[in-house]
Coordinates of all heavy atoms in Angstrom, one line a residue:
E1 N 0.8 -10.9 -8.8 CA 0.1 -11.3 -7.5 C 0.6 -10.5 -6.3 O -0.1 -10.1 -5.5 CB 0.3 -12.8 -7.3 CG -0.7 -13.4 -6.3 CD -0.7 -14.9 -6.3 OE1 -1.0 -15.5 -7.4 OE2 -0.3 -15.4 -5.3
E2 N 2.0 -10.3 -6.3 CA 2.6 -9.6 -5.2 C 2.2 -8.1 -5.3 O 1.9 -7.5 -4.2 CB 4.1 -9.7 -5.4 CG 4.9 -9.1 -4.2 CD 6.4 -9.3 -4.4 OE1 6.8 -10.3 -4.9 OE2 7.1 -8.4 -4.0
V3 N 2.0 -7.6 -6.5 CA 1.6 -6.2 -6.6 C 0.2 -6.0 -6.1 O -0.1 -5.1 -5.4 CB 1.7 -5.7 -8.1 CG1 1.1 -4.4 -8.3 CG2 3.2 -5.7 -8.5
L4 N -0.7 -7.0 -6.4 CA -2.1 -6.9 -6.0 C -2.1 -7.0 -4.4 O -3.0 -6.3 -3.8 CB -2.9 -8.0 -6.6 CG -3.2 -7.9 -8.1 CD1 -3.9 -9.1 -8.6 CD2 -4.0 -6.6 -8.3
A5 N -1.3 -7.8 -3.8 CA -1.3 -7.9 -2.4 C -0.8 -6.6 -1.8 O -1.4 -6.1 -0.8 CB -0.4 -9.0 -1.9
D6 N 0.2 -5.9 -2.4 CA 0.7 -4.6 -1.9 C -0.4 -3.6 -2.0 O -0.6 -2.7 -1.1 CB 1.9 -4.2 -2.7 CG 3.1 -5.0 -2.3 OD1 3.1 -5.6 -1.2 OD2 4.1 -4.9 -3.0
V7 N -1.1 -3.6 -3.1 CA -2.2 -2.6 -3.4 C -3.3 -2.8 -2.3 O -3.8 -1.9 -1.8 CB -2.8 -2.7 -4.8 CG1 -4.1 -1.9 -5.0 CG2 -1.7 -2.3 -5.8
K8 N -3.7 -4.1 -2.1 CA -4.7 -4.4 -1.1 C -4.3 -3.9 0.3 O -5.2 -3.3 1.0 CB -5.0 -5.9 -1.1 CG -6.2 -6.2 -0.3 CD -6.5 -7.7 -0.3 CE -7.7 -8.0 0.6 NZ -8.1 -9.4 0.5
D9 N -3.1 -4.1 0.6 CA -2.6 -3.6 2.0 C -2.7 -2.1 2.0 O -3.1 -1.5 3.0 CB -1.2 -4.1 2.2 CG -1.1 -5.6 2.5 OD1 -2.2 -6.2 2.8 OD2 0.0 -6.1 2.4
R10 N -2.3 -1.4 1.0 CA -2.3 0.0 0.9 C -3.7 0.6 1.0 O -4.0 1.5 1.7 CB -1.5 0.6 -0.3 CG -1.5 2.1 -0.4 CD -0.9 2.7 0.8 NE 0.5 2.6 0.7 CZ 1.4 3.1 1.6 NH1 0.9 3.6 2.7 NH2 2.6 2.9 1.5
I11 N -4.6 0.0 0.3 CA -6.0 0.4 0.3 C -6.6 0.2 1.7 O -7.3 1.1 2.2 CB -6.8 -0.4 -0.8 CG1 -6.5 0.1 -2.2 CG2 -8.4 -0.2 -0.5 CD1 -7.1 -0.8 -3.3
S12 N -6.2 -0.9 2.3 CA -6.7 -1.1 3.7 C -6.2 0.0 4.6 O -7.0 0.5 5.5 CB -6.2 -2.5 4.2 OG -6.6 -2.7 5.5
Q13 N -4.9 0.4 4.5 CA -4.4 1.5 5.3 C -5.1 2.8 5.1 O -5.4 3.5 6.0 CB -2.9 1.6 5.1 CG -2.1 0.5 5.5 CD -0.6 0.5 5.0 OE1 -0.2 1.5 4.3 NE2 0.2 -0.4 5.4
I14 N -5.3 3.1 3.8 CA -5.9 4.3 3.4 C -7.4 4.4 3.9 O -7.8 5.4 4.5 CB -5.9 4.5 1.8 CG1 -4.4 4.7 1.4 CG2 -6.8 5.7 1.4 CD1 -4.2 4.7 -0.1
T15 N -8.1 3.3 3.7 CA -9.5 3.4 4.0 C -9.7 3.4 5.5 O -10.7 4.0 6.0 CB -10.3 2.2 3.4 OG1 -9.7 0.9 3.8 CG2 -10.4 2.3 1.9
K16 N -8.8 2.8 6.3 CA -8.9 2.9 7.7 C -8.7 4.3 8.2 O -9.5 4.8 9.0 CB -7.8 2.0 8.4 CG -7.9 2.0 9.9 CD -7.0 1.0 10.5 CE -7.1 1.1 12.0 NZ -6.6 0.0 12.8
A17 N -7.7 5.0 7.6 CA -7.5 6.4 8.0 C -8.6 7.3 7.5 O -9.0 8.2 8.3 CB -6.2 6.9 7.3
V18 N -9.2 7.1 6.4 CA -10.3 7.8 5.8 C -11.5 7.6 6.7 O -12.2 8.6 7.1 CB -10.6 7.5 4.4 CG1 -11.9 8.1 3.9 CG2 -9.5 8.0 3.5
A19 N -11.8 6.4 7.1 CA -13.0 6.1 7.9 C -12.8 6.8 9.3 O -13.8 7.3 9.8 CB -13.1 4.6 8.1
E20 N -11.6 6.7 9.9 CA -11.4 7.4 11.2 C -11.7 8.9 11.0 O -12.3 9.5 11.9 CB -10.0 7.2 11.7 CG -9.8 5.7 12.1 CD -8.3 5.4 12.4 OE1 -7.4 6.3 12.3 OE2 -8.0 4.3 12.8
Q21 N -11.2 9.5 9.9 CA -11.4 10.9 9.7 C -12.9 11.3 9.5 O -13.4 12.3 10.1 CB -10.6 11.4 8.5 CG -10.4 12.9 8.4 CD -9.5 13.4 9.5 OE1 -8.5 12.8 9.9 NE2 -9.8 14.5 10.1
I22 N -13.6 10.4 8.8 CA -15.0 10.6 8.6 C -15.8 10.6 9.9 O -16.6 11.5 10.2 CB -15.6 9.6 7.6 CG1 -15.1 9.8 6.2 CG2 -17.1 9.5 7.6 CD1 -15.4 8.7 5.2
I23 N -15.5 9.6 10.7 CA -16.2 9.5 12.0 C -15.8 10.7 12.9 O -16.7 11.3 13.6 CB -15.9 8.2 12.7 CG1 -16.5 7.1 11.9 CG2 -16.3 8.2 14.1 CD1 -16.1 5.7 12.3
Q24 N -14.6 11.1 12.9 CA -14.2 12.3 13.7 C -14.9 13.5 13.2 O -15.4 14.3 14.1 CB -12.7 12.5 13.6 CG -12.2 13.7 14.4 CD -10.7 13.9 14.2 OE1 -10.0 13.2 13.5 NE2 -10.1 14.8 15.0
L25 N -14.9 13.8 11.9 CA -15.6 14.9 11.4 C -17.1 14.9 11.6 O -17.8 15.9 11.6 CB -15.3 15.1 9.9 CG -13.8 15.5 9.6 CD1 -13.6 15.4 8.1 CD2 -13.5 16.9 10.1
N26 N -17.7 13.7 11.8 CA -19.1 13.6 12.1 C -19.4 13.6 13.6 O -20.4 13.1 14.1 CB -19.6 12.3 11.5 CG -21.1 12.3 11.3 OD1 -21.7 13.3 10.9 ND2 -21.7 11.1 11.6
G27 N -18.5 14.1 14.4 CA -18.7 14.3 15.8 C -18.6 13.0 16.6 O -19.2 12.8 17.6
G28 N -17.8 12.0 16.0 CA -17.6 10.7 16.7 C -18.8 9.8 16.5 O -18.8 8.7 17.0
K29 N -19.8 10.2 15.7 CA -20.9 9.3 15.4 C -20.8 8.6 14.1 O -20.2 9.1 13.2 CB -22.2 10.2 15.4 CG -22.5 10.9 16.7 CD -23.8 11.7 16.6 CE -23.3 13.1 16.1 NZ -24.4 14.0 16.0
P30 N -21.4 7.4 14.0 CA -21.3 6.6 12.8 C -22.1 7.3 11.7 O -23.0 8.1 11.9 CB -21.9 5.3 13.1 CG -22.7 5.5 14.4 CD -22.1 6.7 15.1
V31 N -21.8 7.0 10.4 CA -22.5 7.6 9.3 C -23.3 6.5 8.6 O -23.1 5.4 8.8 CB -21.5 8.2 8.2 CG1 -20.7 9.3 8.8 CG2 -20.5 7.1 7.7
S32 N -24.3 7.0 7.9 CA -25.2 6.0 7.2 C -24.9 5.9 5.7 O -25.3 4.9 5.1 CB -26.7 6.4 7.4 OG -26.9 7.7 6.9
A33 N -24.1 6.8 5.2 CA -23.8 6.8 3.8 C -22.5 7.6 3.5 O -22.2 8.5 4.3 CB -24.9 7.3 2.9
V34 N -21.8 7.2 2.4 CA -20.6 7.9 2.1 C -20.6 8.0 0.5 O -20.9 7.0 -0.2 CB -19.3 7.1 2.5 CG1 -18.1 7.7 1.9 CG2 -19.2 7.0 4.0
F35 N -20.2 9.1 0.0 CA -20.0 9.3 -1.4 C -18.5 9.3 -1.7 O -17.7 10.1 -1.1 CB -20.5 10.7 -1.9 CG -22.0 10.7 -1.9 CD1 -22.7 11.1 -0.8 CD2 -22.7 10.2 -3.0 CE1 -24.1 11.2 -0.7 CE2 -24.1 10.3 -3.0 CZ -24.8 10.7 -1.8
V36 N -18.1 8.3 -2.5 CA -16.6 8.2 -2.9 C -16.4 8.9 -4.2 O -17.1 8.6 -5.2 CB -16.3 6.7 -3.0 CG1 -14.8 6.5 -3.4 CG2 -16.5 5.9 -1.7
V37 N -15.5 9.9 -4.2 CA -15.3 10.7 -5.4 C -13.8 10.7 -5.7 O -13.0 10.5 -4.8 CB -15.8 12.2 -5.2 CG1 -17.3 12.2 -5.0 CG2 -15.1 12.9 -4.0
G38 N -13.5 11.0 -6.9 CA -12.1 11.1 -7.3 C -11.6 9.8 -7.9 O -12.2 8.8 -7.7
G39 N -10.4 9.9 -8.5 CA -9.8 8.8 -9.1 C -9.4 7.7 -8.1 O -9.5 6.5 -8.4
G40 N -9.0 8.1 -6.9 CA -8.6 7.1 -5.9 C -9.7 6.1 -5.5 O -9.5 5.0 -5.2
G41 N -11.0 6.7 -5.6 CA -12.1 5.8 -5.3 C -12.4 4.8 -6.3 O -13.2 3.9 -6.1
K42 N -11.7 4.8 -7.4 CA -11.9 3.8 -8.5 C -10.9 2.7 -8.3 O -10.9 1.7 -9.1 CB -11.8 4.5 -9.8 CG -12.9 5.5 -10.1 CD -12.8 6.1 -11.5 CE -14.0 7.1 -11.6 NZ -14.0 7.6 -12.9
M43 N -10.1 2.7 -7.3 CA -9.2 1.6 -7.0 C -10.0 0.4 -6.7 O -11.0 0.4 -5.9 CB -8.3 1.9 -5.8 CG -7.3 3.0 -6.1 SD -6.1 3.3 -4.7 CE -7.2 4.0 -3.5
P44 N -9.6 -0.8 -7.2 CA -10.3 -2.0 -6.9 C -10.4 -2.3 -5.4 O -9.4 -2.3 -4.8 CB -9.5 -3.1 -7.7 CG -8.7 -2.4 -8.6 CD -8.5 -1.0 -8.1
G45 N -11.6 -2.5 -4.9 CA -11.8 -2.8 -3.5 C -11.9 -1.7 -2.6 O -12.2 -1.8 -1.4
Y46 N -11.7 -0.4 -3.1 CA -11.8 0.7 -2.2 C -13.2 0.9 -1.6 O -13.3 1.1 -0.3 CB -11.4 2.0 -3.0 CG -11.3 3.2 -2.1 CD1 -10.1 3.5 -1.5 CD2 -12.3 4.1 -1.9 CE1 -10.0 4.6 -0.6 CE2 -12.2 5.2 -1.1 CZ -11.0 5.4 -0.5 OH -10.9 6.5 0.3
S47 N -14.2 0.9 -2.4 CA -15.6 1.1 -1.8 C -15.9 0.0 -0.8 O -16.5 0.3 0.2 CB -16.6 1.1 -2.9 OG -16.4 2.3 -3.7
E48 N -15.5 -1.2 -1.1 CA -15.8 -2.4 -0.2 C -15.1 -2.2 1.1 O -15.7 -2.4 2.2 CB -15.4 -3.7 -0.9 CG -16.2 -4.1 -2.1 CD -15.8 -3.5 -3.4 OE1 -14.9 -2.6 -3.4 OE2 -16.3 -3.9 -4.4
A49 N -13.9 -1.7 1.0 CA -13.1 -1.5 2.2 C -13.6 -0.3 3.1 O -13.7 -0.4 4.3 CB -11.6 -1.2 1.9
I50 N -14.1 0.7 2.4 CA -14.7 1.8 3.2 C -15.9 1.4 3.9 O -16.2 1.7 5.0 CB -15.0 3.0 2.2 CG1 -13.7 3.8 1.9 CG2 -16.1 3.9 2.8 CD1 -13.2 4.7 3.0
A51 N -16.8 0.6 3.1 CA -18.0 0.1 3.7 C -17.7 -0.8 4.9 O -18.3 -0.7 6.0 CB -18.8 -0.7 2.7
E52 N -16.7 -1.6 4.8 CA -16.3 -2.5 5.9 C -15.8 -1.7 7.1 O -16.2 -2.0 8.3 CB -15.2 -3.5 5.5 CG -14.8 -4.5 6.5 CD -13.8 -5.5 6.0 OE1 -13.9 -5.9 4.8 OE2 -13.0 -5.9 6.8
E53 N -14.9 -0.7 6.9 CA -14.4 0.1 8.0 C -15.5 0.9 8.7 O -15.4 1.0 9.9 CB -13.3 1.1 7.4 CG -12.0 0.4 7.0 CD -11.2 -0.1 8.2 OE1 -11.4 0.4 9.4 OE2 -10.4 -1.0 8.0
L54 N -16.5 1.4 7.9 CA -17.5 2.2 8.5 C -18.7 1.3 9.0 O -19.7 1.9 9.5 CB -18.0 3.2 7.5 CG -17.0 4.3 7.2 CD1 -17.4 5.2 6.1 CD2 -16.7 5.2 8.5
Q55 N -18.6 0.0 8.7 CA -19.7 -0.9 9.1 C -21.0 -0.4 8.5 O -22.1 -0.4 9.2 CB -19.8 -1.1 10.6 CG -18.5 -1.6 11.2 CD -18.5 -1.8 12.7 OE1 -19.4 -1.3 13.3 NE2 -17.6 -2.5 13.2
I56 N -21.0 -0.1 7.2 CA -22.3 0.2 6.5 C -22.4 -0.7 5.3 O -21.5 -1.4 4.9 CB -22.3 1.7 6.0 CG1 -21.1 2.0 5.1 CG2 -22.3 2.6 7.2 CD1 -21.1 3.4 4.6
V57 N -23.6 -0.9 4.8 CA -23.9 -1.7 3.7 C -23.3 -1.2 2.4 O -23.3 0.0 2.2 CB -25.4 -1.8 3.5 CG1 -25.8 -2.7 2.3 CG2 -26.1 -2.4 4.8
L58 N -22.7 -2.1 1.7 CA -21.9 -1.6 0.5 C -22.8 -0.8 -0.5 O -22.3 0.1 -1.1 CB -21.3 -2.8 -0.3 CG -20.6 -2.5 -1.6 CD1 -19.4 -1.5 -1.3 CD2 -20.1 -3.8 -2.2
L59 N -24.1 -1.2 -0.6 CA -24.9 -0.4 -1.5 C -25.0 1.0 -1.1 O -25.4 1.9 -1.9 CB -26.3 -1.0 -1.6 CG -26.4 -2.4 -2.2 CD1 -27.8 -3.0 -2.1 CD2 -25.9 -2.4 -3.7
Q60 N -24.8 1.3 0.2 CA -24.8 2.7 0.6 C -23.6 3.5 0.3 O -23.5 4.7 0.4 CB -25.0 2.8 2.1 CG -26.4 2.3 2.6 CD -26.5 2.2 4.1 OE1 -25.7 1.6 4.7 NE2 -27.5 2.9 4.6
V61 N -22.5 2.8 -0.1 CA -21.3 3.5 -0.6 C -21.4 3.7 -2.0 O -21.4 2.7 -2.8 CB -20.0 2.6 -0.2 CG1 -18.8 3.3 -0.7 CG2 -20.0 2.4 1.3
T62 N -21.5 4.9 -2.5 CA -21.7 5.3 -3.9 C -20.5 5.8 -4.5 O -19.9 6.7 -3.9 CB -22.9 6.3 -4.0 OG1 -24.0 5.8 -3.3 CG2 -23.2 6.6 -5.4
N63 N -20.1 5.3 -5.6 CA -18.9 5.8 -6.3 C -19.4 6.7 -7.4 O -20.1 6.3 -8.3 CB -18.1 4.6 -6.9 CG -16.7 5.0 -7.3 OD1 -16.4 6.1 -7.4 ND2 -15.9 4.0 -7.6
T64 N -19.0 8.0 -7.4 CA -19.6 9.0 -8.3 C -18.4 9.8 -8.8 O -17.3 9.8 -8.3 CB -20.6 9.8 -7.6 OG1 -21.2 10.7 -8.5 CG2 -20.0 10.6 -6.4
N65 N -18.7 10.6 -9.8 CA -17.7 11.5 -10.4 C -17.8 12.8 -9.6 O -18.8 13.2 -9.1 CB -18.0 11.9 -11.8 CG -17.8 10.7 -12.7 OD1 -16.9 9.9 -12.5 ND2 -18.6 10.5 -13.8
C66 N -16.6 13.4 -9.4 CA -16.5 14.7 -8.7 C -16.9 15.8 -9.6 O -16.6 15.9 -10.7 CB -15.1 14.8 -8.2 SG -14.8 16.3 -7.2
I67 N -17.7 16.7 -9.0 CA -18.1 18.0 -9.7 C -17.1 19.0 -9.4 O -16.7 19.2 -8.2 CB -19.5 18.4 -9.3 CG1 -20.6 17.4 -9.6 CG2 -19.9 19.8 -9.9 CD1 -21.9 17.7 -9.0
S68 N -16.6 19.7 -10.4 CA -15.5 20.7 -10.1 C -16.1 21.8 -9.2 O -17.3 22.1 -9.2 CB -15.0 21.2 -11.4 OG -15.9 22.1 -12.0
H69 N -15.2 22.4 -8.5 CA -15.6 23.5 -7.6 C -16.3 24.7 -8.3 O -17.3 25.2 -7.9 CB -14.4 24.1 -6.8 CG -14.7 25.1 -5.8 ND1 -15.4 24.8 -4.7 CD2 -14.4 26.4 -5.7 CE1 -15.6 25.9 -4.0 NE2 -14.9 26.9 -4.6
S70 N -15.8 25.0 -9.5 CA -16.4 26.1 -10.3 C -17.8 25.7 -10.8 O -18.7 26.6 -10.7 CB -15.5 26.5 -11.5 OG -15.3 25.4 -12.4
T71 N -18.0 24.5 -11.1 CA -19.3 24.0 -11.5 C -20.3 24.1 -10.3 O -21.4 24.5 -10.4 CB -19.3 22.6 -12.1 OG1 -18.4 22.5 -13.2 CG2 -20.7 22.1 -12.5
H72 N -19.8 23.7 -9.2 CA -20.6 23.7 -7.9 C -21.0 25.2 -7.6 O -22.1 25.4 -7.3 CB -19.8 23.1 -6.8 CG -20.5 23.2 -5.5 ND1 -21.6 22.4 -5.2 CD2 -20.4 24.0 -4.4 CE1 -22.1 22.7 -4.0 NE2 -21.3 23.7 -3.5
L73 N -20.1 26.1 -7.8 CA -20.4 27.5 -7.5 C -21.4 28.0 -8.5 O -22.4 28.7 -8.1 CB -19.1 28.3 -7.6 CG -18.1 28.1 -6.5 CD1 -16.9 29.0 -6.8 CD2 -18.6 28.5 -5.2
E74 N -21.3 27.6 -9.7 CA -22.3 28.1 -10.7 C -23.7 27.5 -10.5 O -24.7 28.2 -10.6 CB -21.8 27.7 -12.1 CG -20.6 28.4 -12.6 CD -20.0 27.8 -13.9 OE1 -20.7 27.0 -14.5 OE2 -18.9 28.2 -14.2
R75 N -23.7 26.3 -10.0 CA -25.0 25.6 -9.8 C -25.7 26.1 -8.5 O -26.9 26.2 -8.5 CB -24.8 24.1 -9.7 CG -24.6 23.5 -11.1 CD -24.6 22.0 -10.9 NE -24.4 21.4 -12.2 CZ -24.3 20.1 -12.4 NH1 -24.4 19.3 -11.4 NH2 -24.1 19.6 -13.6
T76 N -24.9 26.4 -7.5 CA -25.5 26.7 -6.2 C -25.6 28.2 -6.0 O -26.3 28.7 -5.1 CB -24.7 26.1 -5.1 OG1 -23.4 26.6 -5.0 CG2 -24.7 24.6 -5.2
G77 N -24.7 28.9 -6.7 CA -24.6 30.4 -6.4 C -24.0 30.7 -5.2 O -24.0 31.8 -4.7
T78 N -23.2 29.8 -4.5 CA -22.5 30.0 -3.3 C -21.1 30.3 -3.6 O -20.6 30.0 -4.6 CB -22.6 28.8 -2.4 OG1 -22.0 27.7 -3.0 CG2 -24.0 28.5 -2.0
G79 N -20.4 30.8 -2.6 CA -19.0 31.0 -2.8 C -18.6 32.3 -2.3 O -17.9 33.1 -2.2

């Protein structure tokens, strides 16, 4: 139980920092959707916390698998 409380506190700290960065990178404007990628996004409660911090509906926060950079380059032809 103590470990879960520590994890929840850490997730809250992380998602607050991530939300602030997202808004800053979006020119100070709110966002309508966020794609959560990577292993950290699979932490219990992470998507819910991001949605709460960004004040968006949870259904708009999508947890997806990350496409590797090399796959992205092959698919888009960019780089």
Side-chain angles (χ1 to χ4, degrees):
E1 198 170 296
E2 187 178 323
V3 172
L4 289 176
D6 287 344
V7 169
K8 187 176 179 178
D9 288 342
R10 179 57 78 185
I11 288 172
S12 178
Q13 293 170 359
I14 292 169
T15 56
K16 182 174 181 164
V18 169
E20 289 172 359
Q21 198 67 40
I22 288 170
I23 292 169
Q24 180 183 4
L25 291 171
N26 199 43
K29 295 180 271 182
V31 297
S32 58
V34 172
F35 289 91
V36 177
V37 298
K42 295 182 180 183
M43 292 184 290
Y46 186 87
S47 293
E48 292 85 353
I50 282 286
E52 185 176 324
E53 287 291 338
L54 292 171
Q55 299 178 348
I56 58 177
V57 177
L58 179 58
L59 294 176
Q60 292 177 305
V61 179
T62 304
N63 198 345
T64 185
N65 292 325
C66 183
I67 299 172
S68 71
H69 185 65
S70 60
T71 302
H72 177 72
L73 291 175
E74 290 171 12
R75 286 185 178 180
T76 63
T78 61

